[in-house]
């Protein structure tokens, strides 16, 4: 079984390692991520102003093109997933907007594509039990804190990813990999998102609160589903150190990186050199690299 | 004192049966039954639990006088139990109703108590010796009950029932301790549900309320944080007959909480996610809770998050003002999220009057969860052929002028089954229902 | 400190515009503050989201447009997900941003030229694309 | 020697938390004549009462002391309990160790325990000399007086009449309906108030069991439960209502117009007119202070034109006497007068009106035919301010209580206003929005959302006139900013207060009122419709502010209580009353003068004073006053009292 796949800008360029590990893992799990031809940027924000039709056109076009290729579209990046899925939902529910959009993009798309996040593919299509069986290097009770962020969960009615107040899908995933999943209250709190370009110190403070919350519960590593969250939580730790003298750093991994470790991919292929806080010492301590 | 009733009535010449059935043995049903009984008519009082008293029996004190709830209620339950014209059918449910005003045929299921109540003297030995313990529903799962139980030592009738889900005999076919210890041989494991038929001329529905379960509130921890409890649980904690003998101790570790947060409108006034209506009693019982707590834990601090303080009854506003003056901090705003952090419960709220986000590290959080109709009310409404609204509350014939009548002649409403109300309003509502029954009987 | 209210002021064009762009009814607001209570960046805001709604409703255009609240909003939707009246507060915040960014004077919140050197190379594309969309006209 | 039993209640922790109940039981148990002394968590519960019954039977007790809460709470309960065990109920006494001991000495446990012991010992002294007594049986009248013809009185009357009892309904104004007749629509359905009310009024007028006295007042009340003697005063309408057919010809010819109190000054009525259009009974009445005939006999056109010859300029007041078994007091409410509100212009700004006045304006049959306009110049108000809690929730200056209905009627009024004046803006200043009835919150939220009513959380400090506008200085506490509105019309939701004359009526009825003048119920939770005087019941706003739904429930509730009371043919009363030692009484008559219940009378033939047992309440005033020690109170004799006092010193 192959899945139509939308990489998005970040995973196509700066976070290529996240993309590559996912592709490699998929093959080990018996399916292939087939890149959507002629894809464009999704726009990275779902327009909240109701009169902003223009911002809906790129994701609409992506959806329309994907529909020509198949029935399911998957993404890795939580932001792309949010934008595409919400647009899909809007096209489904709002006849008036649907008509306008179709006129603009000169296509006829009815909103009938299924949009799934890669984690949903793993759970619904492959099954976490299958993954557990195929894990080459169980994560040895690595104390991993699953950070959901906002984009997968909200708005609940449109995303339908998991329970909005206490999601568990990510935990199940980590457990399947042999890690010990650490529950922490900030797992659904926002990392500051694009404030890292607007008001960076706000994003830094958000990251500080999330990281320390996880550490208080005993986390050794934070695992994220979103490249922007990963950036805010990982790359900002040097700024946090300046603002909070008591702060201790903690590695932050993208979920495909951890999947790669468990599937036994070579550490060199996982792009750890791009992580600001080096996870290698931890992984070594756990006997995982 | 009062009258010595002399007038006996049964059936009038035209066959109109002058005998009423009251469904629900809480304060509403009790009040209606006594009123109808005192007017000289026979009453069947049906209660689904083993004894009467309803939620009021779970309360510690009542606002605004801080009278002990047991003390005001038990004389009424005793009076009901001894009333010459009231026949109690506890541990019973109405299965079927046919006919019309003056001639309803009713089928009642008397649930198997596994105890022969005719023989039982209520000595209580069986309860003492029963080895099975499990969280008691009456104590809101904060205390332990036995598999053979009465709801309280002061229960009316004071006869126990066996819960087969917890009884070792039913589960494992062993034990039989109660059977051995019973001095009168009243234990009867083979007992089965019985269906009985009755004829009545009028029906009062007083099935009362439930609280919306704390498990519904994701943002407040899905009921899984032990020290986040609901209002009725706090009543039990505060009650002398409750699991802590009236000491305010938090469920998780038994410590006395020093920072206590009360949250109003949990599930009420929330059309988007839960119930749009106001539950009417929470503002007052929370103020009462806060004061009772403060009287017991002098160095403790109470925080109350509210949207609007609703103290409309007689003496209520004065009660609220006094509560504030005792140093209880009212914060106008909702609470967005509650989570556990170590031994503390982190409460994220707001004070809209300063516009600031507020964080409280609490030891105990009490949620004033929404009043909802008792779950069986909807089915009962279908059995009776009366209307209920989308929340399940029973619908009165006309909002203003017919607040106890229904769309069916001869069927009347009393208490919270019709909508949230406090005890005083419930009693007046139940009196009114009784008045309608009396008038119906008098005119036929 | 003082507001002079009149029906023109209550049905002010500013509030109407915010309602129109956001698709939300500001009169529906309970002023319960749930949005502020759960906001992850409330610590840095001049006034809470519930106050922004109030200010807008009362036609305090100038004061509303001078606070940082909606610029700090990260559209995480925590407020919208818990609003008892189902108001999508994040849309209200976006509408306020749009009102400023769509003005003739093009009052951008960030200036690309002021980014530190190497910033754009480091930050993921999604961050600056969404940032540009939220902060630039 | 008597054999006595003592039963000590824990009252949960109410007593046992302070008083060492075990020690008390033990120490009392050592008293010589106490052969049974136990404690229990709730003595008033069934197992508690069973303890008492069993002890009486097993130990053949001659007297019982229950140490628990106040006798006003449970004396009855325990007397009933001992009676079922075969003991005379008056051999059972209550020692109040809760209100008078544990509750007031919470921090002094040792002292409290000692005091509890003393209270019980004193009560034992009383029981030792108690006599067996039998209750006094009295006959009763099986009919009812209902005072007040508003929705409360009307509902109670109809319920009682339907229950088969005769009702005398007395209304002080010339027609039924009370304040509800002044209302436009009712919340939350916005259905017209009038049709339902009219249907009830017609039913009352036609009901064979209801005797209706409009324009009448209760002058005198004597007697007691089951046997009240009532004196009514029928005021002069100057119209023979048995003849008047309500044709209205007199109104057409009457030349005098004056501001109608029913229309709250917004409209006029003629000197002879109906109370309001379509009123029931449909009869006119004449105001002698306005009518020129009464000034200088200059007119008299009404008499000339009346086809029924019903006008009676020489009509006299009538006194009517009746005997009834029970009384419902449904005297309703008034609004706090605008004239007392200095900061809102002392009622002198014409465009500042109260809620009832606005109701008249909104009523289709009102003075403006339902058109909303400023009283000052008739213009349609475009800036419309409503102010809540005017003189309510203001303990320092006015009334401390919440008037309960203002939030909802204001939301209703603002909704009707907005429907009529779509380009107008309603503002509501409030402290807390109180919409706690069924469907109220939903109504309120819907109307705020749909009609754009601006709710401002804050009080209004001052209102004054300026440039044809009414300036309103308020605050919005949610932004923390002062608010100023140049309003066209301001509606004040002034406090609900008991209607005029209730205090005097209450004293005639010997019913109690609170400091605001609201009638007090016997118990706020369990006896919300019973007054403190037996046989007198309370319905509607006379007892406290409430909306129509709650008023109707409460009125029906009084009917239920009365039907239970009157379903018997004998009443029984406590025999704990005064008696006279005829050999000592000198016939001085001091007791007759001092008795507040008119229960003492001189027997002129025998030259001594006697006790009217049905009237005596056992207050003891005559005992204290008697110079010869000829009076005693049953089971509270001087010797008993002195022995009780001895135990404390």
């Amino acid at each position: 079984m192959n899945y139509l796949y939308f990489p998005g800008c970040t995973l196509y360029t700066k976070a290529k390692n996240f993309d590559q590990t996912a592709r490699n893992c998929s093959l080990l799990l018996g399916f292939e991520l087939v890149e959507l031809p002629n894809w464009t940027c999704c726009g990275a924000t779902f327009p909240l102003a109701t009169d902003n039709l223009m911002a809906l056109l790129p994701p609409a076009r992506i959806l329309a093109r994907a529909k020509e290729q198949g029935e399911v579209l998957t993404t890795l990046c939580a932001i792309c997933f949010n934008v595409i899925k919400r647009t899909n939902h809007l096209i489904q529910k709002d006849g008036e907007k649907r008509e306008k959009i179709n006129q603009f993009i000169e296509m006829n798309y009815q909103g009938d594509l299924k949009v799934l996040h890669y984690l949903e593919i793993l759970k619904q299509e492959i099954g976490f039990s299958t993954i557990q069986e195929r894990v080459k290097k169980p994560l040895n009770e690595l104390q991993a804190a699953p950070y959901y962020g906002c984009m997968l969960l909200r708005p609940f009615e449109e995303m339908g990813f998991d329970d909005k107040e206490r999601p568990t899908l990510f935990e199940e995933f980590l457990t399947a990999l042999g890690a010990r999943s650490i529950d922490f209250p900030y797992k659904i709190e926002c990392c500051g998102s694009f404030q890292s370009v607007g008001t960076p110190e706000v994003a830094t403070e958000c990251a500080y609160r999330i990281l320390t919350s996880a550490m208080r519960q005993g986390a050794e590593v934070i695992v994220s589903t979103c490249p922007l969250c990963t950036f805010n939580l990982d790359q900002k730790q040097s700024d946090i150190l300046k603002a909070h003298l008591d702060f201790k750093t903690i590695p932050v991994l993208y979920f495909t990186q951890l999947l790669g470790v468990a599937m036994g991919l070579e550490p060199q292929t996982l792009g750890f050199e791009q992580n600001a806080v080096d996870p290698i010492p931890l992984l070594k301590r756990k006997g995982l690299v | 004192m009062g009258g010595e009733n002399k007038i006996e009535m049964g059936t009038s010449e035209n066959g109109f049966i002058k005998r009423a059935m009251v469904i629900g043995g809480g304060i509403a049903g009790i009040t209606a039954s006594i009123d109808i009984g005192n007017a000289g008519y026979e009453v069947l009082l049906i209660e689904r639990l083993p004894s009467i008293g309803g939620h009021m029996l779970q309360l510690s004190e009542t606002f605004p006088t801080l009278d002990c709830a047991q003390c005001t209620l038990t004389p009424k339950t005793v009076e009901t139990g001894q009333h010459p014209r009231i026949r109690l059918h506890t541990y019973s449910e109405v299965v079927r109703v046919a006919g019309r005003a003056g001639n309803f045929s009713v089928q009642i299921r008397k649930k198997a108590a596994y105890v022969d109540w005719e023989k039982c003297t209520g000595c209580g030995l069986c309860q003492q010796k029963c080895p099975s313990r499990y969280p008691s529903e009456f104590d809101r799962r904060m205390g332990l009950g036995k598999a053979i139980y009465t709801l309280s030592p002061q229960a009316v009738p004071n006869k126990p029932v066996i819960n087969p889900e917890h009884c070792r005999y039913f589960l494992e076919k062993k034990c039989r301790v109660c059977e051995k210890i019973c001095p009168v041989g009243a234990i009867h494991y083979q007992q089965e549900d019985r269906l009985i038929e009755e004829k009545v001329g009028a029906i009062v529905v007083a099935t009362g309320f439930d609280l919306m379960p704390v498990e519904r509130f994701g943002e407040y921890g899905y009921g899984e944080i032990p020290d986040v409890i609901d209002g009725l649980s706090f009543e039990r904690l505060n009650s002398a007959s409750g699991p802590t003998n009236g000491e305010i101790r938090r469920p998780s570790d038994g410590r006395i909480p020093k920072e206590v947060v009360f949250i109003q409108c949990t599930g009420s006034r929330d059309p988007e996610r839960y119930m749009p209506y106001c539950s009417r009693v929470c503002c007052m019982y929370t103020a009462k809770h806060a004061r009772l707590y403060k009287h017991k834990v002098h160095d403790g601090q109470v925080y109350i998050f509210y949207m609007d303080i609703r103290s409309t009854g007689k003496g209520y506003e004065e009660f609220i003002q006094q509560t504030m003056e005792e140093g209880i901090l009212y914060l106008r705003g909702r609470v967005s999220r509650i989570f556990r952090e170590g031994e503390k419960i982190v409460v994220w709220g707001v004070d809209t009057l300063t516009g600031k986000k507020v964080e409280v590290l609490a030891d105990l959080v009490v949620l004033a969860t929404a009043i909802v109709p008792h779950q069986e009310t909807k089915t009962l409404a279908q059995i009776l052929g009366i209307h209920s609204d989308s929340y399940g509350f029973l619908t009165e014939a006309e909002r203003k002028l017919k607040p106890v009548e229904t769309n069916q002649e001869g069927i009347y409403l009393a208490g919270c089954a019709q909508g949230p109300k406090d005890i005083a309003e419930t009693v007046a509502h139940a009196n009114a229902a009784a008045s309608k029954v009396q008038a119906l009987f008098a005119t036929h | 400190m003082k507001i002079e209210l009149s029906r023109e002021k209550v049905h002010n064009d500013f509030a109407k515009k915010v309602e129109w762009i956001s698709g939300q009814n500001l009169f529906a607001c309970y002023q319960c503050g749930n949005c502020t209570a759960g906001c992850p960046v409330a610590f840095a805001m001049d006034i809470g989201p519930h106050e922004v709604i109030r200010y807008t409703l009362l036609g305090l255009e100038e004061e509303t447009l001078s606070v940082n609240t909606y610029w700090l909003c990260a559209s995480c939707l925590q407020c919208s997900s818990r609003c008892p009246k189902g108001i999508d507060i994040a849309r209200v915040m976006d509408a306020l941003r749009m009102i400023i960014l769509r003005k003739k004077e093009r009052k951008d919140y960030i200036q690309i030229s002021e980014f530190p050197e190497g910033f754009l190379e480091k930050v993921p594309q999604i961050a600056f694309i969404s940032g540009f969309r939220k902060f630039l006209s | 020697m008597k054999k006595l039993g003592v039963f000590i209640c824990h009252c949960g922790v109410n007593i046992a938390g302070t008083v060492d109940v075990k020690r008390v039981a033990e120490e009392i148990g050592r008293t010589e004549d106490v052969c049974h002394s136990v404690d229990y968590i709730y003595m008033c519960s069934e197992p508690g009462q069973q303890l008492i019954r069993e002890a009486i039977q097993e130990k053949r007790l001659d007297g019982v002391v229950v140490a628990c809460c106040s006798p006003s709470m449970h004396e009855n309960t325990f007397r009933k309990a001992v009676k079922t065990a075969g003991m005379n109920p008056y051999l059972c006494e209550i020692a109040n160790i809760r209100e008078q001991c544990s509750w007031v000495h919470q921090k002094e446990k040792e002292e409290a325990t000692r005091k509890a012991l003393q209270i019980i010992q004193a009560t034992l002294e009383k029981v030792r000399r108690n006599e067996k007594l039998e209750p006094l049986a009295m006959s009763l009248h099986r009919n009812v007086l209902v005072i007040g013809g508003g929705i409360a009185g009307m509902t109670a009357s109809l319920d009682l009449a339907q229950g088969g009892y005769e009702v005398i309904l007395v209304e002080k104004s010339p027609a039924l309906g009370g304040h509800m007749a002044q209302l436009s629509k009712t919340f939350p359905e916005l259905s017209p108030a009038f049709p339902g009310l009219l249907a009830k009024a017609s039913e009352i007028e036609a009901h064979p069991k209801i005797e209706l006295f409009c324009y009448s007042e209760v002058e005198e009340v004597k007697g007691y439960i089951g046997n009240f003697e009532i004196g009514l005063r029928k005021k002069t309408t100057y119209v023979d209502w048995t003849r008047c057919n309500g044709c209205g010809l007199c109104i057409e010819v009457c030349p005098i117009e004056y501001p109608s109190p029913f229309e709250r000054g917004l409209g006029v009525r003629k000197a002879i007119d109906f109370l309001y259009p379509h009123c029931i009974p449909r009869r006119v009445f004449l105001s002698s202070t306005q009518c020129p005939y009464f000034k200088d006999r200059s007119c008299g056109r009404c008499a000339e034109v009346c086809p029924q010859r019903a006008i009676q300029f020489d009509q006299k007041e009538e006194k009517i006497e009746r005997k009834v078994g029970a009384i419902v007091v449904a005297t309703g409410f008034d609004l706090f007068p605008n004239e007392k509100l200095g900061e809102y212009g002392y009622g002198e700004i014409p465009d500042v009106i109260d809620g009832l006045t606005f109701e008249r304006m909104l009523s289709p049959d009102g003075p403006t035919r339902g058109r909303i306009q400023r009283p000052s110049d008739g213009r349609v108000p475009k800036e419309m301010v409503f102010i809540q809690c005017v003189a309510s929730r203001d303990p320092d200056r006015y009334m401390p209580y919440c008037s309960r209905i203002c939030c909802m009627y204001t939301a209703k009024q603002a909704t009707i206003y907005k429907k009529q004046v779509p380009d107008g803006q309603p503002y509501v200043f409030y402290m807390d929005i109180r919409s706690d009835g069924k469907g109220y919150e939903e109504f309120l939220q819907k109307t705020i959302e749909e009609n754009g009513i601006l709710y401002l959380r804050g009080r209004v400090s001052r209102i004054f006139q300026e440039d044809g506008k009414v300036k309103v200085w308020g605050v919005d506490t949610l932004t923390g900013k002062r608010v100023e509105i140049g309003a066209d019309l301001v509606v004040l939701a002034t406090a609900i207060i008991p209607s005029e004359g209730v205090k005097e009526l209450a004293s005639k009825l010997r019913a109690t009122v609170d400091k605001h003048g609201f009638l007090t119920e016997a118990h706020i939770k369990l006896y919300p419709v019973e007054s403190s005087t037996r046989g007198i019941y309370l319905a509607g706003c006379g007892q406290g502010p409430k909306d129509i739904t709650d008023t109707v429930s409460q009125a029906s509730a009084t009917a239920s209580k009365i039907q239970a009371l009157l379903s018997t043919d004998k009443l029984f009363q406590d025999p704990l009353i005064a008696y006279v030692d005829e050999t000592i009484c000198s016939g001085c008559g001091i007791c007759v003068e001092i008795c507040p219940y008119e229960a003492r009378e001189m027997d002129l033939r025998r030259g001594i004073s006697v006790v009217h047992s049905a009237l005596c309440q056992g207050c003891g005033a005559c005992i204290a006053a008697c110079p010869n020690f000829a009076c005693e109170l049953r089971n509270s004799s001087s010797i008993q009292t002195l022995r009780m006092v001895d135990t404390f010193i």
Side-chain angles (χ1 to χ4, degrees), chain D residues 95-111:
Chain D
N96 179 354
I97 59 165
R98 194 179 76 169
E99 284 84 346
Q100 293 177 352
C101 183
S102 69
W103 275 2
V104 288
H105 300 294
Q106 284 182 10
K107 289 174 189 161
E108 309 142 298
K109 301 205 166 165
E110 181 55 36
E111 284 294 311

Side-chain angles (χ1 to χ4, degrees), chain D residues 249-260:
Chain D
L249 281 175
C250 52
I251 306 170
E252 282 173 28
V253 299
C254 179
I256 302 296
E257 281 189 342
Y258 70 103
S260 158

Side-chain angles (χ1 to χ4, degrees), chain B residues 179-197:
Chain B
E179 189 182 42
K180 284 169 213 152
I181 200 93
C182 180
V184 291
I187 305 297
H188 185 21
Y189 296 118
Q190 275 69 47
Q191 206 175 62
E192 286 175 2
D193 288 5
R194 271 189 309 136
L195 290 175
I196 58 170
E197 305 281 340

Side-chain angles (χ1 to χ4, degrees), chain D residues 333-626:
Chain D
F333 71 97
D334 273 336
L335 289 187
F336 191 90
N338 277 359
E339 289 72 24
K340 288 193 183 171
L341 303 163
E343 70 274 37
Y344 296 164
Y346 286 115
E348 288 171 13
I349 308 175
D351 297 328
V352 177
I353 60 176
D354 66 15
L356 264 181
T357 313
F358 197 54
E359 285 295 331
R360 289 316 296 151
M361 199 186 278
L362 297 177
S363 292
D365 60 351
T368 62
R369 305 269 154 224
R371 185 172 183 270
I372 299 168
Q373 57 187 52
R374 315 211 305 170
S376 64
D377 56 9
R379 280 196 305 144
V380 175
K382 294 296 167 83
E383 305 282 351
M384 181 81 209
V385 172
F386 296 88
I387 306 176
Q388 311 278 279
C389 300
V390 178
S392 300
R393 302 185 71 192
D394 195 335
D396 199 48
R397 304 180 302 164
Y398 307 109
M399 302 300 173
Y401 54 82
C402 161
S403 292
R404 197 163 195 180
I405 59 171
C406 324
C407 282
M408 289 311 296
Y409 83 61
T410 298
K412 172 197 74 176
Q413 291 179 344
T415 307
I416 299 173
Y417 166 76
K418 188 71 188 173
K419 291 215 155 75
Q420 196 179 117
V421 188
D423 62 336
Q425 176 62 45
Y427 309 83
V428 180
F429 284 94
Y430 73 100
M431 306 219 311
D432 293 280
I433 306 180
R434 297 186 165 172
S435 46
D436 57 359
K438 188 167 175 174
Y440 291 4
E441 178 72 17
E442 293 93 320
F443 167 74
L444 189 93
Q445 294 309 326
K446 192 164 169 266
T447 187
I448 293 176
E449 284 178 35
E450 288 180 359
N451 295 308
I453 301 166
L454 184 65
Y455 271 72
L456 293 150
R457 188 186 180 282
R459 273 193 183 260
V460 168
S461 170
R462 199 179 160 206
I463 298 173
F464 57 94
Q465 262 177 311
E466 198 176 76
D467 309 329
K469 289 274 187 182
V470 184
K471 274 276 156 71
V472 177
W473 280 359
V475 67
D476 174 53
T477 58
L478 296 169
T479 53
K481 293 197 193 301
R482 264 191 65 196
V483 170
E484 186 177 303
I485 301 171
D488 297 313
L489 184 59
V490 176
V491 178
L492 308 177
T494 42
I496 298 277
I497 57 173
S499 66
E500 208 189 328
V502 170
K503 265 190 184 153
E504 293 72 33
L505 180 67
S507 77
K508 283 175 198 158
L509 294 165
R510 290 190 297 272
T512 51
V513 294
D514 66 18
K515 63 181 169 193
H516 316 300
F518 290 113
L519 293 150
T520 41
E521 60 291 324
H523 186 283
I524 194 162
K525 292 277 169 212
L526 295 178
Y527 304 104
V529 301
E530 288 91 333
S531 81
S532 50
T533 307
R534 293 177 61 215
I536 296 179
Y537 299 85
L538 312 174
C541 288
Q543 182 259 349
K546 51 183 76 62
D547 65 16
I548 296 172
T549 310
D550 288 348
T551 295
V552 168
S553 286
Q554 204 194 18
S556 289
T558 60
S560 169
K561 292 292 168 190
I562 292 172
Q563 291 179 68
L565 173 77
L566 299 185
S567 68
T568 76
D569 48 18
K570 279 258 174 354
L571 283 177
F572 292 88
Q573 195 200 317
D574 259 340
L576 301 169
I577 58 170
Y579 67 97
V580 178
D581 187 336
E582 297 176 5
T583 59
I584 305 176
C585 176
S586 68
C588 71
I590 290 175
C591 51
V592 178
E593 273 171 43
I594 207 139
C595 176
Y597 300 101
E598 296 167 39
R600 300 301 304 264
E601 249 179 328
M602 289 303 290
D603 182 337
L604 296 172
R605 195 176 53 80
R606 290 193 289 166
I608 56 164
S609 158
V610 293
V611 178
H612 191 311
S613 56
L615 289 176
C616 177
Q617 302 288 311
C619 74
C622 56
I623 287 106
C626 180

Side-chain angles (χ1 to χ4, degrees), chain D residues 27-278:
Chain D
E27 285 195 28
I28 292 290
R30 289 194 217 113
T31 315
E32 200 186 353
D33 55 356
V34 173
C35 54
H36 193 79
S37 176
V38 291
D39 59 279
Y40 183 68
I41 179 162
Y42 290 111
M43 221 34 120
C44 58
S45 67
E46 179 49 33
Q49 294 187 30
Q50 187 60 27
L51 284 179
I52 300 175
R53 289 194 290 262
E54 279 170 12
I56 292 171
Q57 280 162 350
E58 281 167 22
K59 308 223 169 143
R60 307 205 165 278
L61 300 178
D62 308 302
V64 160
V65 170
V66 187
C68 56
C69 52
S70 154
S72 68
M73 199 96 186
H74 281 324
E75 193 175 69
N76 259 332
T77 313
F78 292 117
R79 286 196 172 151
K80 254 194 205 166
V82 302
K83 193 179 166 202
T84 57
M87 178 186 273
N88 184 291
Y90 298 96
L91 300 178
C92 167
E93 291 288 348
I94 304 294
N96 179 354
I97 59 165
R98 194 179 76 169
E99 284 84 346
Q100 293 177 352
C101 183
S102 69
W103 275 2
V104 288
H105 300 294
Q106 284 182 10
K107 289 174 189 161
E108 309 142 298
K109 301 205 166 165
E110 181 55 36
E111 284 294 311
T113 304
R114 207 175 316 150
K115 184 171 170 185
L117 277 165
Q118 280 183 328
I119 293 172
I120 295 167
Q121 278 154 355
T123 315
L124 279 167
E125 284 296 348
K126 185 169 194 288
V127 171
R128 284 182 187 118
R129 285 168 185 79
N130 267 4
E131 304 168 51
K132 291 179 186 171
L133 300 172
E134 291 305 325
L136 306 164
M138 305 179 294
S139 61
L140 75 161
H141 299 292
R142 298 178 67 185
N143 61 349
V144 186
L145 169 72
V146 176
I147 309 172
I151 186 62
M154 288 164 66
T155 304
S157 299
L158 275 176
D159 271 27
L160 286 162
Q162 277 157 6
Y165 295 95
E166 278 175 11
V167 176
I168 297 152
L169 174 56
V170 178
E171 162 58 37
K172 70 178 172 187
S173 80
L176 290 170
H179 284 308
M180 193 173 164
Q182 292 178 296
L183 307 185
S184 56
K185 291 175 174 175
T186 56
F187 57 81
E189 278 102 345
L190 297 187
S191 47
F194 204 61
L197 189 74
L198 200 67
K200 281 209 176 211
S202 312
E203 206 180 330
I204 286 175
E205 200 185 22
H207 206 293
K209 294 240 176 214
I210 302 177
E211 197 182 0
L212 176 61
F213 292 100
C214 281
Y215 214 41
S216 300
E217 285 183 37
V218 175
E219 280 279 284
E220 208 182 357
V221 183
K222 280 200 224 161
Y224 45 91
I225 183 169
N227 295 277
F228 291 107
E229 291 171 30
I230 309 297
L232 300 179
R233 182 168 63 94
K234 216 174 157 186
K235 295 179 278 188
T236 44
T237 56
Y238 304 102
V239 177
D240 182 348
W241 278 16
T242 58
R243 291 180 169 208
C244 173
N245 62 4
C247 70
L249 281 175
C250 52
I251 306 170
E252 282 173 28
V253 299
C254 179
I256 302 296
E257 281 189 342
Y258 70 103
S260 158
F262 183 86
E263 303 295 356
R264 314 274 301 172
L266 285 183
V268 290
R269 76 180 293 268
K270 295 287 185 75
I272 189 164
D273 209 335
F274 296 115
L275 178 67
Y276 56 90
H278 316 295

